[in-house]
């Protein structure tokens, strides 16, 4: 049924779980970096691979498919979108050396992060206490980077507080409904 309406392209081959799994494990092993990901057409196998990588990174499916469609353009295929959606990320075995861009910052021990922030604050204080004339250009750049890192951390913490507060508010509304 439908075979007469749909004929695969001559160079079309189905995506294999084993191929994607092996490729993802290679991509995720930072000891093999830098890595160039490409295929002959630039879309037919690269895009599903990157989509599955995004699944491993825990992107939302909507974000993954938007990125896929943006880069695939007119060559986007429903088959690839379905493959990305149903790909089992549990097949992928994470290597010992994962790249820094894969790290889920929600899982980092907060004490380690607090210690890092305290170290940055201490370094910033030492740099700001120096006489402005004696501060080198390199130190000024370091100060700006530290200030940026601290602002990012503060924004991240504020966002987390807002999420936690809204969750508590929703829970309190549920609890109030139960009392009635």
């Amino acid at each position: 049924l439908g075979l007469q309406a749909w004929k695969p392209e001559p160079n079309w081959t189905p995506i294999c779980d084993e191929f994607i799994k092996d490729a993802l494990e290679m991509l995720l092993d930072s000891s093999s970096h830098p890595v160039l990901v490409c295929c002959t057409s630039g879309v037919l196998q690269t895009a599903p691979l990157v989509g599955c990588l995004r699944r491993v990174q825990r992107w939302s499916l909507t974000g993954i498919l938007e990125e896929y469609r943006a880069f695939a353009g007119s060559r986007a295929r429903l088959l690839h979108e379905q493959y990305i959606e149903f790909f089992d990320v549990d097949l992928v075995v994470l290597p010992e050396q994962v790249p820094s861009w894969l790290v889920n910052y929600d899982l980092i021990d907060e004490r380690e992060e607090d210690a890092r922030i305290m170290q940055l604050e201490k370094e910033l204080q030492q740099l700001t206490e120096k006489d402005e004339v004696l501060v080198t250009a390199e130190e000024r750049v370091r100060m700006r980077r530290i200030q940026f890192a601290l602002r990012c951390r503060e924004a991240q913490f504020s966002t987390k507080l807002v999420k936690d507060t809204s969750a508590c508010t929703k829970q309190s509304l549920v609890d109030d409904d139960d009392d009635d």
Side-chain angles (χ1 to χ4, degrees):
L1 179 68
L3 284 179
Q4 294 188 7
W6 178 79
K7 293 181 182 167
E9 296 176 17
N11 62 351
W12 181 84
T13 55
I15 302 170
C16 170
D17 282 344
E18 193 64 28
F19 166 77
I20 296 293
K21 176 191 173 301
D22 291 344
L24 285 173
E25 288 174 356
M26 184 187 313
L27 278 175
L28 296 173
D29 186 2
S30 62
S31 66
S32 65
H33 287 184
V35 175
L36 172 66
V37 179
C38 63
C39 64
T40 55
S41 67
V43 175
L44 297 177
Q45 292 163 341
T46 305
L49 174 64
V50 172
C52 292
L53 174 64
R54 301 303 189 209
R55 291 279 317 280
V56 171
Q57 290 177 292
R58 298 191 176 170
W59 280 31
S60 70
L61 183 60
T62 304
I64 295 169
L65 295 181
E66 282 180 15
E67 181 184 51
Y68 169 75
R69 291 175 189 147
F71 285 97
S74 63
R75 301 191 76 179
R77 291 182 166 74
L78 180 61
L79 179 70
H80 288 169
E81 292 181 20
Q82 289 174 335
Y83 183 84
I84 293 167
E85 180 180 0
F86 295 114
F87 179 74
D88 183 9
V89 295
D90 293 331
L91 292 174
V92 180
V93 177
L94 293 178
E96 288 187 27
Q97 294 180 337
V98 294
S100 60
W101 47 261
L102 182 70
V103 175
N104 182 352
Y105 290 100
D106 293 336
L107 301 178
I108 292 178
D109 186 5
E110 289 185 23
R111 291 172 293 184
E112 289 179 21
E113 184 64 15
D114 289 344
R116 186 183 75 83
I117 294 299
M118 286 176 56
Q119 177 68 24
L120 287 174
E121 288 172 341
K122 183 179 177 181
E123 185 179 349
L124 180 63
Q125 184 179 6
Q126 289 173 348
L127 288 171
T128 54
E129 288 176 352
K130 276 183 124 179
D131 186 9
E132 196 169 314
V133 177
L134 299 175
V135 176
T136 65
E138 184 178 299
E139 289 173 328
R140 289 178 211 272
V141 170
R142 179 69 183 150
M143 286 173 58
R144 285 195 298 270
R145 288 183 178 161
I146 292 172
Q147 290 168 340
F148 178 75
L150 293 174
R151 281 195 307 269
C152 288
R153 173 69 175 155
E154 186 178 306
Q156 184 182 34
F157 183 71
S158 298
T159 304
K160 185 177 179 183
L161 280 179
V162 169
K163 287 179 184 176
D164 292 345
T165 304
S166 64
C168 291
T169 305
K170 289 176 186 174
Q171 185 60 44
S172 63
L173 289 173
V174 170
D175 291 343
D176 288 344
D177 289 343
D178 292 341
D179 294 338
D180 293 339

